[in-house]
Amino acid sequence: MIHPWESRRPRASVDKSPLVLMAVFTLCIYLLIQQYGYSERILKHINRRDISLNITGITPFQEICPKEYPPAHSILHDSQHHEIVYYKETIREQLGRWNRGDEPASDLPDVYEFKNFMFAAWRTEKLESEASAWDAATDEYVKGPGWSKPKKDKLVRANITVLEGDYVAFNSWFIGNFGHFAHDWLPTIALLRHIVPETTKFLLVDDPMSKDFIRFLDPFFYERVLWIQYDHVYYTKGKLTLQVPYGIPNVYGCCTDWDPLRQWIAENHPDKSSRNHVVFYSRRSSDTQHGRLLDPSMEERAINRIQKKLKQYGRDEKIIIFNGQDAEGNTMSMLRQYALFRGASAFIGPHGSGLGGNFLWMDPFPSKCDERPKILEFIPGPLSHDIQTLYASYYSNIRKWPLEYHTLLYRRDSTINTTQINLDTLDDALDAMWGSGASPGAKDKEEDMSGTEE
């Protein structure tokens, strides 16, 4: 029987568990605040113009090759002059914004120090960068690229860890990717390491590749890192230092912000190799996930051309084919990759993480233009942009590293799986890299650099 005061429609059940969890979380925050005190909000805003870098042991980037500073574009080799002109216009316009030439001191980020602040890095579906840092007493939170308002739906289920002492927190995109960690994470980590006391610890997201990279780079610094979990809240009783970038990835500014990373590598891995080989990058391995394999016949002929050019110019380097794996088909250890690239006079091959991460291990000690290691990267152009984004290249990311950077375009008949290059253009690029005089492309670039900046 249904009583008169009861609805004839079934009652909707109300799940009160999220409300209970939020109440418990709020109570925990309240108790923490009562125990440790309210936040002092911003303890200090370290304006980028006030950051002083003490660079020793290496030549600062700006002094290595002044005639090519700031970097505007790579040296593109192509038989069609209009292709070179269009490339220069496209990349120069992009880097004109990224180099921020209108603000000479703006290549360093703004850095902030907080006290009694909460921090969490959030797991995202697309490997994007998202983290929150906030004042639990006032709900004030850090805003900017990569920073967001605390996620209440995740807070209700989050555990809280209280941390004693001072910390730096950093997060970026594409966690676990070798190349992205090298050029999107490490430069900022190195900069922050450079400006905070050695007693300050770091909060970095727990990831096997990142841990291996840091452990090899600097075992002492590895001990300063607290490897944190996604969607977990950390309450810092001491100072929490953060940087707010211009964007994600943080490619802006040119180019002193990468000097601390080069100094860090030089300090911990000071080997000065004789540069006795050329690395040719082949994407033929089980680790390669994104296609763009150079046609097997084309790859063989390209290697033969490189060998002939080495002989033509009396160079005694040998060619080592690198695909990221050892002879047994296992991923090559960090130590072996380091040794391979530190001893390389040049890297030649298609765009890919084989270059995007290992460029760091190349000689960090150049003091003038002609001492820089050389790069020749194969990239998509207007006739082959279906392969990947137009002019997809690491140049824009790693232009802050002392490299003589050359590029050439894939042929029109390339596909997303199999790529082709023009072997005569390859010869032209090798002549420019190893010939007795500068190539027309290199001379043209020097004229570009010495002219009025856009």
Side-chain angles (χ1 to χ4, degrees):
M1 173 181 287
I2 299 176
H3 293 282
W5 58 83
E6 291 182 354
S7 169
R8 293 180 179 273
R9 293 181 298 175
R11 292 181 177 179
S13 61
V14 178
D15 182 6
K16 296 183 180 180
S17 57
L19 300 176
V20 173
L21 288 169
M22 179 58 81
V24 172
F25 182 85
T26 303
L27 177 60
C28 291
I29 296 299
Y30 173 78
L31 294 174
L32 286 170
I33 292 171
Q34 292 300 310
Q35 181 175 356
Y36 299 121
Y38 284 86
S39 169
E40 298 177 27
R41 296 195 181 184
I42 299 178
L43 281 179
K44 186 178 182 181
H45 169 208
I46 307 174
N47 189 288
R48 59 182 180 268
R49 299 175 188 274
D50 297 328
I51 296 176
S52 177
L53 301 182
N54 180 28
I55 301 300
T56 60
I58 60 167
T59 302
F61 181 86
Q62 188 171 353
E63 299 174 14
I64 295 173
C65 198
K67 64 184 178 183
E68 294 184 11
Y69 187 88
H73 52 75
S74 70
I75 305 170
L76 177 68
H77 301 274
D78 197 273
S79 61
Q80 301 297 316
H81 180 67
H82 68 273
E83 291 282 13
I84 297 175
V85 171
Y86 183 67
Y87 166 78
K88 288 180 179 179
E89 291 175 349
T90 303
I91 301 302
R92 183 185 293 158
E93 190 277 332
Q94 177 191 69
L95 295 190
R97 299 191 310 272
W98 288 7
N99 287 344
R100 300 184 67 86
D102 57 325
E103 299 182 49
S106 68
D107 45 330
L108 302 177
D110 283 326
V111 177
Y112 297 87
E113 292 178 355
F114 302 92
K115 189 173 183 180
N116 294 339
F117 242 58
M118 317 293 285
F119 173 79
W122 308 115
R123 188 183 303 278
T124 61
E125 294 182 0
K126 298 181 180 180
L127 299 177
E128 297 168 343
S129 174
E130 190 170 11
S132 300
W134 70 99
D135 179 342
T138 65
D139 287 333
E140 293 286 336
Y141 62 94
V142 174
K143 302 178 179 68
W147 296 101
S148 67
K149 187 176 182 179
K151 295 182 172 296
K152 291 186 177 181
D153 60 323
K154 294 188 176 182
L155 288 179
V156 297
R157 293 175 174 82
N159 293 319
I160 305 173
T161 298
V162 179
L163 301 176
E164 305 278 353
D166 299 335
Y167 286 84
V168 169
F170 179 73
N171 188 50
S172 189
W173 69 345
F174 282 94
I175 183 73
N177 180 282
F178 180 70
H180 282 284
F181 188 74
H183 57 70
D184 294 333
W185 290 69
L186 277 178
T188 303
I189 293 172
L191 175 65
L192 294 168
R193 170 187 171 273
H194 189 88
I195 64 177
V196 300
E198 288 189 0
T199 54
T200 303
K201 297 183 178 181
F202 278 67
L203 302 178
L204 301 177
V205 175
D206 193 341
D207 167 72
M209 187 284 303
S210 305
K211 294 170 83 169
D212 287 345
F213 210 134
I214 291 291
R215 187 186 291 110
F216 174 76
L217 172 59
D218 185 347
F220 176 78
F221 179 77
Y222 181 87
E223 298 302 322
R224 290 173 58 186
V225 179
L226 175 62
W227 298 98
I228 66 174
Q229 302 301 312
Y230 278 124
D231 303 335
H232 188 107
V233 176
Y234 296 86
Y235 184 88
T236 55
K237 290 174 58 179
K239 286 192 299 186
L240 178 65
T241 301
L242 309 169
Q243 65 93 31
V244 178
Y246 291 111
I248 302 291
N250 189 16
V251 294
Y252 296 90
C254 188
C255 294
T256 57
D257 56 328
W258 280 41
D259 282 347
L261 176 56
R262 192 156 50 89
Q263 176 180 283
W264 190 11
I265 292 172
E267 289 171 349
N268 287 276
H269 299 277
D271 314 83
K272 295 188 177 181
S273 174
S274 58
R275 298 196 195 176
N276 57 8
H277 55 262
V278 170
V279 174
F280 184 88
Y281 177 39
S282 172
R283 292 177 57 80
R284 298 185 181 284
S285 80
S286 58
D287 290 340
T288 301
Q289 300 176 358
H290 301 294
R292 305 193 309 278
L293 277 66
L294 200 59
D295 178 85
S297 174
M298 177 62 69
E299 185 170 285
E300 182 179 354
R301 286 182 287 162
I303 293 171
N304 288 336
R305 293 284 185 110
I306 296 168
Q307 188 66 64
K308 289 179 180 179
K309 286 297 179 182
L310 287 170
K311 184 177 181 180
Q312 176 182 337
Y313 290 110
R315 304 181 68 93
D316 58 4
E317 294 106 318
K318 61 181 179 180
I319 300 173
I320 296 179
I321 299 175
F322 168 74
N323 66 0
Q325 297 181 334
D326 60 23
E328 289 72 42
N330 301 313
T331 300
M332 189 178 290
S333 70
M334 200 77 68
L335 176 60
R336 292 189 61 185
Q337 292 187 62
Y338 160 79
L340 177 63
F341 279 80
R342 179 56 62 92
S345 64
F347 172 97
I348 300 173
H351 175 71
S353 288
L355 168 61
N358 282 304
F359 77 93
L360 287 178
W361 306 135
M362 300 184 87
D363 186 359
F365 297 108
S367 60
K368 53 186 179 181
C369 294
D370 60 5
E371 292 179 354
R372 297 171 299 171
K374 294 174 171 56
I375 300 291
L376 175 55
E377 184 183 24
F378 310 157
I379 64 174
L383 300 180
S384 55
H385 69 276
D386 290 342
I387 298 171
Q388 206 175 4
T389 307
L390 178 65
Y391 301 137
S393 166
Y394 282 114
Y395 178 78
S396 298
N397 299 83
I398 65 177
R399 69 191 188 282
K400 305 178 187 184
W401 211 253
L403 302 166
E404 182 183 306
Y405 212 115
H406 300 252
T407 47
L408 63 80
L409 304 178
Y410 291 124
R411 284 186 348 204
R412 181 198 297 267
D413 54 343
S414 297
T415 69
I416 194 170
N417 294 314
T418 305
T419 57
Q420 309 282 348
I421 60 171
N422 186 303
L423 292 174
D424 291 336
T425 304
L426 173 63
D427 281 345
D428 292 341
L430 298 175
D431 289 336
M433 291 164 59
W434 295 328
S436 57
S439 70
K443 288 180 180 177
D444 187 56
K445 179 176 180 180
E446 290 173 12
E447 292 170 1
D448 260 355
M449 299 297 187
S450 62
T452 303
E453 294 298 334
E454 292 190 351

